[in-house]
Amino acid sequence: MTLTTGPDSLNSTPPLTGGTRSGQIIIADRVVEKIAARAVLEVPDAGGAAPRVFGRAVPGAGHLGIRRSSLRQAPKAAADVDGRTVYLNVAISTRWPASIAQVSTQVREHVRTRVHDLTGLTVAEIRITVTGLVTGLAPTDRVRP
């Protein structure tokens, strides 16, 4: 920054750099959605949602050339950030024969913790929809991301 001194500039205050007003950080809904989707993948028995066509889950979609349900693919997540509060909808698949209730509880707790830890936002509600069951995987077949 160059400061010139002259008769007019001696009485004026130089502009402040960095500002003195408090700023505000706004975290976009899409950022929270990605954090939530990644957090789901950190739970061993949960993964990506079943493929959907026209809003309907398609069992056996692999035969139609559509991707199959997988525990390695990111799940669908939708977030609504309202100030410092987050409302999440997450669609997942679970490994069969894991308990859907236990996996859903683990996902809810883990996503809530990760979103809060990474953003500082409070997660008020997480709606979880289980859209598919992934069979043929042993619990140790899951590769942690």
Side-chain angles (χ1 to χ4, degrees), residues 31-43:
V31 172
V32 176
E33 290 169 0
K34 289 185 178 206
I35 291 170
R38 183 65 183 179
V40 169
L41 292 176
E42 294 171 358
V43 176

Side-chain angles (χ1 to χ4, degrees), residues 19-72:
T20 58
R21 296 184 209 163
S22 296
Q24 182 180 15
I25 296 174
I26 298 172
I27 300 173
D29 295 355
R30 188 71 186 130
V31 172
V32 176
E33 290 169 0
K34 289 185 178 206
I35 291 170
R38 183 65 183 179
V40 169
L41 292 176
E42 294 171 358
V43 176
D45 291 328
R52 300 178 78 77
V53 175
F54 300 117
R56 302 267 187 196
V58 180
H63 299 293
L64 302 173
I66 303 172
R67 71 170 176 84
R68 297 181 182 190
S69 296
S70 170
L71 296 183
R72 293 183 182 152

Side-chain angles (χ1 to χ4, degrees), residues 93-145:
S93 291
T94 62
R95 182 186 56 79
W96 175 260
S99 167
I100 293 173
Q102 288 177 352
V103 172
S104 296
T105 300
Q106 289 174 351
V107 166
R108 185 172 285 109
E109 291 171 1
H110 189 67
V111 168
R112 178 174 279 122
T113 301
R114 294 294 285 161
V115 168
H116 178 71
D117 289 349
L118 294 173
T119 65
L121 300 174
T122 302
V123 180
E125 181 180 348
I126 302 174
R127 289 181 169 172
I128 298 175
T129 305
V130 178
T131 61
L133 300 173
V134 178
T135 60
L137 294 176
T140 57
D141 286 348
R142 173 78 185 260
V143 176
R144 298 217 39 141

